[in-house]
Amino acid sequence: MSDINTNIEAPFKFLISFDKYLKQYEDLAKSENSIYASQAKRVLSLVEENPILRDGFLDISLLKKYESEIEVILKDAFSPILTLNEIKTASIPFHDVVFNSSDRFKKIIETAGKGFDLKMKNMPENDMYIFACTAILNFSYGYTLNFKRPLYYEIPDSNGVLRYYKILYNADFIDIIRDKNAPVITESDYYELLDNFENIDLWKEKFPPGSYTFKGFVISNIFDVTDDQSISNIKSTLIGQDKRSDENFMIDFHEIFRSLLGLKDLKVGFSVYNAREDVFERVYGSGMTSYLLNKKESESCKSALCRLSYSKLLKEKQFLSISDVEKFNERTKGEAPQIKSLHDQNIKSAIFAPIANEDGLMGILELVSHKPKVLNSIIANKLVDVMPYIVAAVERSKDEEANLIKAIIQKECTSIHDSVLWRFEEEAKRFIKNELSGEKAVFKKISFHNVYPLYGQIDIQGSSDARNEATKLDLLEQLKLARVVLEKAKALEQLPIYDQFIYQIDEYSLKLEENFQVDSEQIIQNFFNQDINPLLDHLKEQETVQLAISNYYLHIDRTMNEVYEHRKDFDNTITSINEKMAALLDNKQTDAQLMYPHFFERYKTDGVEHNMYIGQSITKEDTFNEIYLYNLRLWQLQAMCEMENDYYQMRHNLPVSLDVASMILVFNRPMSISFRMDEKQFDVDGTYNARYEIVKKRVDKAFIKGTKERVTQKGKITIVYSHKQDEIEYLRYIKFLQSKQMLDTDIEIVELQDLQAVTGLKAIRVSILYSKGQTDKSYYTYDDLMEAIKA
């Protein structure tokens, strides 16, 4: 005896029976339609002769013994007229035990071959057990718990291509009978199960194996859903992360497309479209290839495609199908590049599908076969439903790659200006390609040659003195507050240590007033940390000094643990100036970039400095002319005058009144710059060019030759240069800005005292004209403006 329940763990025992199905015939036997009644009585008569078919049995071998009788019983469910079209079976659920089927199902199994083993897919073993439990809950306890999951068979066709068949159960002919020893499921049990789907032990506790009897059978209606499932598989495959490095990705992708198109001889390739350079590029990753590029790394689109194909794929974004490569190659005499590439690879038919969104082409999906005519325009139309998912995946992949590129740039470099980002992206792509190809990935040096530098700064004058003054005032205030506490403590207890601390405070105060030293702040703070603060903790419980201590701590900044009032005003002032000037410069830069793209960086110190480089190597275009350099120099001069105006309009709102001085450094020879990986910034190349960096660092502190007067002055803009032609050029700009009432007429040309290793520098200085705001269109010199503000 071969028991159907052997080696199967389920919450119920299976009993094969046609009892519930036969009850339909009992009703038909009473029908007024004599034909229906007669036929039903014949079936019932047959079953009376074989009562085991109604009573049920466990022995699978009896299915073969009663094969003819079962076929007669199920004749109405398995119509001979539809048997060649319908895919239908009678079976025991969860077992893949089929005992009656339509001819089409038999043909499908026969085509799959002798070694094929019919197995249900998409249902893990534990899920199957829980699925059976939910059926009991619904059937025996009246719940409506829905745990239906799509069930499939995967069956190969005559070409070895997998086809997908969805299974829909008709469970009208089953009874589920609870054994007397089976636990009764209470409402609390039900709610506990709802929250513990993954706890298989709990389900087995509530529904022990074999605690219910499943009496009957199911009829399965089966549908070929290969197209739908292939599309679903494409979606699932494309969702996966790190697809390029997954060896199975392309293997699975090939199989999915083979199922979708019903072609065993099918291969899939990709090529990426680089819109900036109008080229196709290879996709790097495990198993990735491009049949359009063949063995090339990249190729111009106009070289890879003939004119008509270029228009169809890139302009019209339509499928390009080549059903007979051999024939087309003869017709075009080998002059159509895409046909020749396919012919050289012994490809006989192909489809190129554009992967495009609203922004344009992103790449090409390439389907090829070594058989002629199997890929054609009719087959290409089947891709319509698939392409949106491929487009979405490529969009996501591009975003991922862009993020990866930025991450590499951020790691290897720093935040990069948009004007040179393209060069870093190129290097990052090469870095990724080498990494995916198993080569050593090294981020190479980024350089730009023959570029002209421009440098400018708005420096906050006297910031060091102002900072020292703010520090001195805070320290004096803190010493004063501490002295009050000590005087109160001394009145409470006549301890000599109090006198010693008061003496020390007076000494520190005197030194601060007379001569503030660089180390004064550190010395005094050590005194507070080591001596005064512990004493305050000791005294805080004494009522007579509590008020003085509270007043002391009222003035102490909790974060700094010291008096931080004047320094806070100073720091807030510096921050406000820097943020305002940086924002203004960034805003003006937007317009400057539209004039001609150039590299720009700015950074905040005590003021705002900026570097600019302009040249053909940065723009990657053949359009550079020195007129763009002259335009940028004039823009820089005008922008700095405007920034000075904006500063003095905001100056009266700042906590500390400070002045600024502006300077431009002119360097009239092109140079080379390289990105320093260790410093994360651009720097000049070459010994001569290094002179430029030396001047940048020191020139704002330089004196006019033969004097002790700094070259940079408040109320004036200073232009430092070394060649007569620079002087002539900037005098023209100054004259122009004088006509716009931005600069005064007091031009002076001075020589600078020699710097280390740098001689021969000169400077043009001219006063800036200021206005008080939008409503007041009068223009003032610095001194006039100060007088007008005071008035």
Side-chain angles (χ1 to χ4, degrees), residues 204-448:
K204 289 181 178 179
E205 176 192 328
K206 306 298 183 184
F207 301 94
S211 57
Y212 290 77
T213 298
F214 178 104
K215 182 179 180 181
F217 71 100
V218 294
I219 292 177
S220 301
N221 293 287
I222 302 170
F223 303 91
D224 188 336
V225 291
T226 301
D227 288 358
D228 292 340
Q229 186 61 30
S230 296
I231 293 171
S232 177
N233 288 345
I234 286 173
K235 287 192 287 184
S236 299
T237 304
L238 291 173
I239 286 172
Q241 298 293 319
D242 300 323
K243 299 180 285 293
R244 291 192 197 180
S245 58
D246 186 351
E247 294 182 2
N248 295 319
F249 171 72
M250 283 308 294
I251 296 173
D252 294 341
F253 214 57
H254 279 79
E255 289 301 327
I256 292 166
F257 270 96
R258 286 166 185 163
S259 294
L260 177 66
L261 303 181
L263 298 173
K264 185 68 175 176
D265 183 11
L266 179 72
K267 292 183 179 178
V268 183
F270 295 96
S271 50
V272 172
Y273 176 60
N274 182 333
R276 181 189 291 120
E277 300 181 19
D278 195 33
V279 299
F280 290 124
E281 297 175 342
R282 181 180 294 276
V283 178
Y284 288 90
S286 181
M288 298 280 188
T289 190
S290 172
Y291 300 98
L292 180 60
L293 294 172
N294 197 356
K295 296 179 181 178
K296 298 176 182 176
E297 297 291 313
S298 64
E299 188 172 14
S300 163
C301 297
K302 292 181 178 177
S303 299
L305 299 169
C306 68
R307 183 174 56 83
L308 290 175
S309 298
Y310 180 94
S311 178
K312 193 166 188 176
L313 282 172
L314 275 74
K315 304 298 183 185
E316 301 171 28
K317 300 181 183 62
Q318 294 182 2
F319 296 140
L320 175 64
S321 58
I322 304 145
S323 61
D324 194 328
V325 172
E326 194 73 37
K327 180 180 176 181
F328 275 86
N329 194 52
E330 290 176 6
R331 183 185 299 173
T332 59
K333 299 179 181 179
E335 294 183 359
Q338 78 277 9
I339 303 295
K340 186 177 185 304
S341 178
L342 295 173
H343 183 266
D344 292 345
Q345 298 170 78
N346 198 33
I347 292 168
K348 303 300 183 185
S349 60
I351 295 172
F352 294 139
I355 305 171
N357 60 12
E358 293 178 357
D359 297 327
L361 187 71
M362 295 182 289
I364 303 292
L365 170 67
E366 308 163 0
L367 304 179
V368 301
S369 174
H370 292 100
K371 292 183 179 180
K373 298 183 174 62
V374 296
L375 292 173
N376 50 64
S377 61
I378 306 299
I379 291 294
N381 196 54
K382 295 192 72 173
L383 297 175
V384 170
D385 295 328
V386 173
M387 293 309 296
Y389 305 112
I390 294 178
V391 168
V394 172
E395 287 175 334
R396 187 173 64 251
S397 181
K398 283 174 71 71
D399 289 342
E400 290 170 358
E401 182 178 54
N403 291 335
L404 179 58
I405 287 171
K406 287 179 181 177
I408 291 172
I409 293 172
Q410 191 73 27
K411 177 184 175 183
E412 299 292 340
C413 314
T414 186
S415 181
I416 301 301
H417 190 257
D418 289 345
S419 62
V420 294
L421 184 60
W422 63 269
R423 181 64 187 86
F424 288 85
E425 288 176 341
E426 280 187 351
E427 185 57 28
K429 283 183 178 180
R430 189 198 59 77
F431 185 99
I432 294 169
K433 182 189 78 173
N434 288 348
E435 212 171 39
L436 291 169
S437 301
E439 301 175 22
K440 185 178 180 180
V442 178
F443 202 92
K444 293 182 179 178
K445 184 178 179 180
I446 303 290
S447 298
F448 296 96

Side-chain angles (χ1 to χ4, degrees), residues 547-686:
L547 185 60
I549 291 175
S550 297
N551 187 51
Y552 173 88
Y553 281 116
L554 188 64
H555 289 80
I556 296 296
D557 182 273
R558 297 294 183 185
T559 304
M560 307 294 291
N561 198 31
E562 58 186 347
V563 172
Y564 179 65
E565 293 174 358
H566 295 88
R567 279 173 292 180
K568 184 177 182 180
D569 287 343
F570 173 81
D571 289 342
N572 287 342
T573 298
I574 297 295
T575 300
S576 297
I577 295 172
N578 285 345
E579 288 180 353
K580 177 70 172 178
M581 294 297 100
L584 288 168
L585 189 58
D586 289 346
N587 186 49
K588 294 178 188 300
Q589 251 293 301
T590 304
D591 295 333
Q593 290 292 341
L594 295 175
M595 298 175 192
Y596 193 86
H598 56 276
F599 174 80
F600 168 80
E601 66 177 357
R602 58 117 180 102
Y603 37 96
K604 305 170 186 174
T605 52
D606 280 355
V608 176
E609 302 176 45
H610 66 269
N611 285 312
M612 295 185 287
Y613 297 98
I614 186 170
Q616 186 170 304
S617 62
I618 287 178
T619 60
K620 201 183 178 183
E621 297 176 5
D622 298 328
T623 59
F624 179 73
N625 185 286
E626 286 193 7
I627 191 67
Y628 295 113
L629 169 64
Y630 303 147
N631 183 75
L632 192 58
R633 284 175 172 173
L634 176 57
W635 170 89
Q636 181 189 36
L637 180 57
Q638 183 169 336
M640 295 191 71
C641 291
E642 292 174 1
M643 289 169 67
E644 279 241 6
N645 251 288
D646 287 334
Y647 167 67
Y648 280 107
Q649 287 174 22
M650 68 176 281
R651 182 176 183 261
H652 65 281
N653 293 321
L654 297 173
V656 180
S657 182
L658 296 171
D659 286 306
V660 297
S662 298
M663 184 202 73
I664 289 172
L665 175 62
V666 183
F667 198 78
N668 70 347
R669 291 182 57 177
M671 60 175 59
S672 295
I673 59 172
S674 296
F675 192 85
R676 307 297 186 196
M677 294 296 181
D678 52 346
E679 298 175 5
K680 308 295 185 187
Q681 67 180 26
F682 278 98
D683 203 355
V684 297
D685 280 342

